[in-house]
Amino acid sequence: METKKPVTAIIVGAGHRAITYGDYSFAHPEDLKVVGIAEPNEVRRKMTAERYGFSEEFCFENAEELAKVPKFADVIINGTMDHQHFETAVPLLEKGYDMLLEKPFSVSMEEMEKLLSVIRKNGNKVMICHVLRYSTFYRAIKEHILAGDLGDIINIQMSEHVSYHHLSTSYIRGKWANSDICKTSMLLAKSCHDIDIMMWLMNETEPETVSSHGSIFQFKPENAPEGAGTRCLVDCPHVDTCRYSAKPMYLGHPDRWECYVWAGLEDIKDPTLDIKEESLKTDNPYGRCIYKCDNNVVDHQSVLVKFKNGATGTHNMIGGTAKSVRKIHIIGTKAELYGNFEDNNFVIERIKTEAPDGFVREFYDTNTMGGQGHGGGDPALTADFINFIRTGEQSISCTSIYNSVAGHLAVFLADKSMAEGGKPYTCDFSKY
């Protein structure tokens, strides 16, 4: 039997997500081999080359420079920042590379239209990193829907609670805090996973109209404690009592968000707590007062979707909660399903007239199905991408870019609606 050659990949943007997918090659060298890097940060560029064992010849400062040399791999793993996805993807797609592209694949409807045009012209195979589709939890729910266990879906209710430390780190002090800089909204950066899941579970029908409301409720200057400074460890009397103080949040938990908080120290091997504390006192953005940052994205938002078949769906994103939780409740004509992603289980209550209570309850534990990052989604997505590249086959979870359009369009329209006081907008798929 002929031995399959590994799919060869070049990482573009050596961030946490791209490295996670690239590391699949260590456990499955017969399936994936990382052979190059395009990354503007010299330290990360060298670290990536050392990690995967290739020479400086295959290191590039950016996607544009990579596109100038002859094609030397099968695929690109594009893990750049959200607003860079379009500009880094296009020249490499034009070069003939297939691509695993981080979500969101575009930050506007105009970019989405242009990117799809390039892909259609060149015939590239492109998958989007909507890893939650590949988690054991959501995949099991999808299988029950496909089996007809719930009947026709009448309503789907989803919620995402973003923990106080995740919200503050990523969306107030961090990379996705200001849409003028990162070019993404809170819904697009964080909850496009959830909106994608809704569209995927409801894909027997398309969204028809979308409306939304949201605001910055907590994290604004007028809510700062009296006398609060601008940097927690420098000039704030509340440094030991504020729940959002950088001292307990980052020095008390130095490993929790290390890939974000200590990114400026990555050229120092094993930086001490003293070094980390000094960084929070000086130029580290994570040392700023949580109420006095440049954040402009909402900390809570609700979305309502009407589908063409008459069904409805809602998604509620609430930031600043005690813990991160994703919940789902689906009501069908035959049964209801309640689930909690973090607990990795769900309950189906089936209508049964002869039962004492009029229904029967069944419990499903998807923990027993195994799982790593994102509930098993990270390795499962990478494996499916490799199979997609090799065979063109699409699994029930496949996040081909064409399957991701509905979710992106719904997010763009939800944000437009929110900006206009909840005005409903019609989904028009004619351009896509």
Side-chain angles (χ1 to χ4, degrees):
M1 185 173 68
E2 182 181 353
T3 303
K4 292 181 180 178
K5 294 182 180 179
V7 170
T8 53
I10 303 167
I11 288 176
V12 177
H16 173 67
R17 298 308 303 154
I19 296 299
T20 294
Y21 301 127
D23 282 356
Y24 185 86
S25 63
F26 296 140
H28 304 276
E30 73 283 2
D31 290 327
L32 181 66
K33 183 177 182 181
V34 178
V35 298
I37 176 68
E39 163 60 53
N41 184 297
E42 183 179 3
V43 173
R44 291 187 182 183
R45 196 163 60 242
K46 289 181 178 179
M47 288 173 62
T48 304
E50 292 172 2
R51 188 183 193 93
Y52 299 109
F54 52 83
S55 68
E56 189 176 345
E57 177 188 358
F58 302 104
C59 297
F60 303 85
E61 289 190 8
N62 51 52
E64 186 178 4
E65 292 301 312
L66 172 61
K68 291 178 180 178
V69 305
K71 182 173 178 284
F72 64 91
D74 300 312
V75 303
I76 300 295
I77 299 175
N78 190 329
T80 55
M81 287 295 291
D82 301 345
H83 65 282
Q84 298 171 320
H85 291 167
F86 177 80
E87 66 184 43
T88 55
V90 168
L92 297 172
L93 293 168
E94 295 279 19
K95 197 74 177 181
Y97 288 102
D98 294 322
M99 188 173 292
L100 182 62
L101 179 58
E102 253 302 343
K103 59 79 189 171
F105 66 74
S106 65
V107 297
S108 69
M109 286 186 276
E110 293 75 19
E111 274 193 1
M112 180 165 68
E113 183 179 351
K114 291 176 182 177
L115 185 61
L116 289 167
S117 176
V118 169
I119 292 168
R120 288 193 184 99
K121 181 185 71 173
N122 291 284
N124 312 90
K125 293 177 183 174
V126 180
M127 267 180 51
I128 309 305
C129 297
H130 282 302
V131 295
L132 293 189
R133 289 196 193 188
Y134 290 87
S135 68
T136 55
F137 176 78
Y138 287 113
R139 193 168 67 245
I141 292 174
K142 177 70 172 179
E143 289 169 351
H144 280 284
I145 291 172
L146 290 175
D149 292 345
L150 306 185
D152 297 325
I153 296 176
I154 304 167
N155 177 262
I156 180 168
Q157 303 163 27
M158 303 181 66
S159 64
E160 179 178 17
H161 297 181
V162 186
S163 72
Y164 67 97
H165 53 82
H166 190 175
L167 185 79
S168 62
T169 301
S170 296
Y171 306 100
I172 301 176
R173 290 174 168 134
K175 297 178 181 179
W176 295 277
N178 189 304
S179 60
D180 295 331
I181 299 172
C182 69
K183 307 303 179 185
T184 53
S185 67
M186 180 70 178
L187 195 67
L188 186 61
K190 187 73 180 80
S191 292
C192 72
H193 275 311
D194 305 271
I195 301 298
D196 175 74
I197 288 291
M198 183 189 293
M199 299 302 145
W200 177 55
L201 297 180
M202 295 289 294
N203 72 351
E204 293 302 314
T205 181
E206 290 181 344
E208 185 175 63
T209 61
V210 178
S211 61
S212 181
H213 289 278
S215 69
I216 301 177
F217 187 83
Q218 292 190 68
F219 304 100
K220 44 192 177 183
E222 56 265 39
N223 288 341
E226 186 176 351
T230 57
R231 296 195 74 86
C232 300
L233 283 84
V234 176
D235 58 358
C236 187
H238 307 287
V239 63
D240 293 313
T241 56
C242 176
R243 72 170 63 94
Y244 291 100
S245 169
K247 182 178 179 181
M249 189 171 290
Y250 303 127
L251 295 180
H253 299 275
D255 300 327
R256 187 158 57 189
W257 295 101
E258 60 180 342
C259 62
Y260 295 155
V261 181
W262 314 122
L265 304 176
E266 61 187 0
D267 58 332
I268 302 174
K269 184 177 181 180
D270 301 323
T272 64
L273 273 181
D274 287 340
I275 292 174
K276 292 176 179 179
E277 180 176 345
E278 183 60 25
S279 78
L280 291 173
K281 288 180 178 179
T282 52
D283 59 348
N284 190 326
Y286 296 95
R288 296 176 294 167
C289 172
I290 198 73
Y291 300 99
K292 299 179 181 181
C293 293
D294 60 345
N295 57 301
N296 69 356
V297 300
V298 300
D299 54 28
H300 73 113
Q301 185 172 355
S302 296
V303 180
L304 171 63
V305 181
K306 178 188 174 186
F307 291 90
K308 287 185 177 179
N309 69 351
T312 52
T314 59
H315 176 67
N316 292 300
M317 183 286 297
I318 306 98
T321 58
K323 64 176 183 177
S324 292
V325 177
R326 277 185 165 102
K327 295 183 180 180
I328 188 168
H329 181 193
I330 305 174
I331 302 171
T333 54
K334 293 181 180 179
E336 295 182 46
L337 183 150
Y338 306 82
N340 184 312
F341 175 71
E342 278 67 29
D343 291 343
N344 229 330
N345 59 54
F346 57 87
V347 171
I348 295 180
E349 293 180 344
R350 303 176 191 268
I351 296 172
K352 194 169 185 179
T353 55
E354 65 270 28
D357 295 322
F359 67 92
V360 293
R361 180 181 289 114
E362 299 167 353
F363 178 81
Y364 297 87
D365 182 4
T366 55
N367 270 311
T368 61
M369 301 169 69
Q372 300 172 35
H374 285 96
D378 289 341
L381 180 145
T382 312
D384 197 40
F385 174 65
I386 292 167
N387 184 63
F388 180 51
I389 294 302
R390 284 174 167 168
T391 69
E393 296 173 358
Q394 296 190 32
S395 70
I396 64 169
S397 297
C398 186
T399 57
S400 161
I401 191 167
Y402 301 112
N403 297 333
S404 298
V405 169
H408 279 68
L409 182 58
V411 169
F412 295 142
L413 294 179
D415 283 333
K416 188 175 181 180
S417 170
M418 182 178 66
E420 298 184 22
K423 177 182 176 180
Y425 275 94
T426 301
C427 298
D428 179 8
F429 289 90
S430 62
K431 295 180 180 179
Y432 315 112

